[in-house]
């Protein structure tokens, strides 16, 4: 959860992901609705997994050698995952340097299907629709003396699998959230208007009664003076 009462000027969401040992940042994209409830949509930035040429803040993920400095769009996980020759990218090498897909067939990146996003209800700070998507790739390189690798002429980033962890409000929760964010404020406003109008009416009635009482009292006093 995030602090409530967000505005569209809150342009970024940042969170730490333990599986890749780094923070990820999602940028405000648009106002949308999830099951009829208002939401702000945040997308993972295209340069989030970029190298220092695309994003200077990522220079700490490159240790200035050939094994850790990757083409833009991939993050070396070796120092995070027990020196495993693994690289994380977006699914189907979305937003990545063409070098990743050049040695692999069958990949086709579709942003709507492979991007990472979070939709947040701004008044409550509650995530309503989430999709965390990443791809795990194993690095293959030519190793002298091992015939199995003889046909490898350049580094290959071979996709092992990609995953999509998603969550969305169900209809029941959406109705409750709609009641809290729209119904209750509307009922509160209507109740305040009714109380205000009722108060004005009661004050008016009380003022009229006061004036009549004062007038009757004045008439009685004048009548007694005439009689005397």
């Amino acid at each position: 959860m995030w602090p409530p009462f967000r505005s569209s000027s809150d342009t970024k969401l940042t969170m730490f992901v333990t599986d890749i040992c780094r923070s990820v940042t999602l940028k405000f994209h648009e106002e949308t609705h999830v099951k009829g409830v208002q939401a702000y949509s945040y997308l993972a930035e295209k340069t989030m997994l970029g190298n220092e040429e695309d994003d200077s803040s990522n220079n700490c993920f490159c240790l200035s050698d050939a094994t850790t400095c990757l083409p833009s769009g991939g993050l070396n996980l070796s120092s995070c995952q027990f020196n495993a020759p693994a690289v994380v990218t977006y699914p189907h090498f979305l937003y990545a340097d063409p070098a990743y897909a050049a040695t692999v067939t069958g990949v086709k990146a579709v942003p709507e299907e492979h991007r990472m996003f979070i939709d947040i209800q701004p008044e409550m700070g509650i995530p309503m629709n989430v999709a965390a998507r990443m791809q795990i790739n194993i690095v293959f390189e030519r190793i002298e003396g091992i015939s199995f690798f003889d046909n490898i002429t350049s580094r290959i980033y071979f996709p092992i699998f990609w995953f999509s962890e998603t969550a969305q409000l169900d209809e029941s929760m959406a109705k409750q959230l709609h009641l809290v964010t729209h119904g209750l404020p509307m009922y509160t406003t209507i109740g305040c208007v009714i109380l205000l109008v009722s108060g004005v009416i009661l004050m008016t009635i009380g003022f009229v009664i006061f004036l009549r009482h004062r007038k009757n009292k004045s008439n009685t006093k004048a009548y007694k003076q005439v009689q005397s």
Side-chain angles (χ1 to χ4, degrees):
M1 295 180 64
W2 281 266
F5 307 111
R6 300 187 65 85
S7 69
S8 57
S9 61
D10 300 323
T11 57
K12 292 185 177 181
L13 291 177
T14 300
M15 67 195 79
F16 187 81
V17 181
T18 56
D19 291 333
I20 61 176
C21 302
R22 64 160 293 178
S23 297
V24 297
T25 299
L26 294 91
K27 190 173 182 180
F28 176 76
H29 176 58
E30 63 180 358
E31 292 189 26
T32 184
H33 287 81
V34 178
K35 297 185 183 297
V37 181
Q38 181 192 20
Y40 287 171
S41 182
Y42 293 81
L43 301 181
E45 296 184 286
K46 295 180 180 180
T47 59
M48 187 181 75
L49 299 178
N51 56 25
E52 60 180 345
E53 295 180 1
D54 290 336
D55 188 342
S56 59
S57 65
N58 287 336
N59 59 0
C60 58
F61 297 110
C62 176
L63 302 181
S64 68
D65 62 73
T67 60
T68 58
C69 290
L70 303 176
S72 185
L75 176 67
N76 193 312
L77 296 181
S78 58
S79 61
C80 174
Q81 299 294 341
F82 311 101
N83 293 318
V87 172
V88 64
T89 64
Y90 289 128
H92 288 251
F93 302 121
L94 177 67
Y95 307 137
D97 188 289
Y100 288 97
T103 56
V104 179
T105 60
V107 294
K108 184 179 180 181
V110 180
E112 290 74 17
E113 296 179 4
H114 301 141
R115 65 190 179 188
M116 183 186 302
F117 69 87
I118 296 178
D119 295 335
I120 291 181
Q121 209 294 315
E123 283 81 13
M124 304 291 290
I126 298 174
M128 299 191 298
N129 193 14
V130 180
R133 294 163 173 158
M134 287 188 174
Q135 179 171 290
I136 305 301
N137 313 275
I138 297 299
V139 180
F140 287 97
E141 295 182 288
R142 185 184 182 90
I143 301 177
E144 296 297 334
I146 300 181
S147 59
F148 184 80
F149 296 98
D150 285 346
N151 63 335
I152 299 178
T153 57
S154 61
R155 181 183 292 183
I156 298 175
Y157 303 94
F158 190 78
I160 301 300
F161 64 87
W162 70 271
F163 62 86
S164 177
E165 296 182 354
T166 61
Q168 188 180 63
L169 286 183
D170 58 23
E171 291 292 342
S172 176
M173 290 294 294
K175 289 179 179 178
Q176 294 180 41
L177 193 57
H178 189 275
L179 174 64
V180 171
T181 59
H182 293 81
L184 291 183
M186 181 181 67
Y187 299 146
T188 302
T189 301
I190 294 174
C192 289
V193 171
I194 292 174
L195 290 176
L196 179 62
V197 172
S198 299
V200 171
I201 292 174
L202 291 174
M203 287 179 64
T204 302
I205 293 173
F207 186 66
V208 170
I209 293 174
F210 170 76
L211 291 179
R212 287 185 176 179
H213 177 73
R214 187 174 180 180
K215 183 178 180 180
N216 291 336
K217 189 175 181 181
S218 298
N219 291 338
T220 302
K221 185 176 181 181
Y223 176 75
K224 288 182 178 179
Q225 290 177 350
V226 171
Q227 291 294 326
S228 62

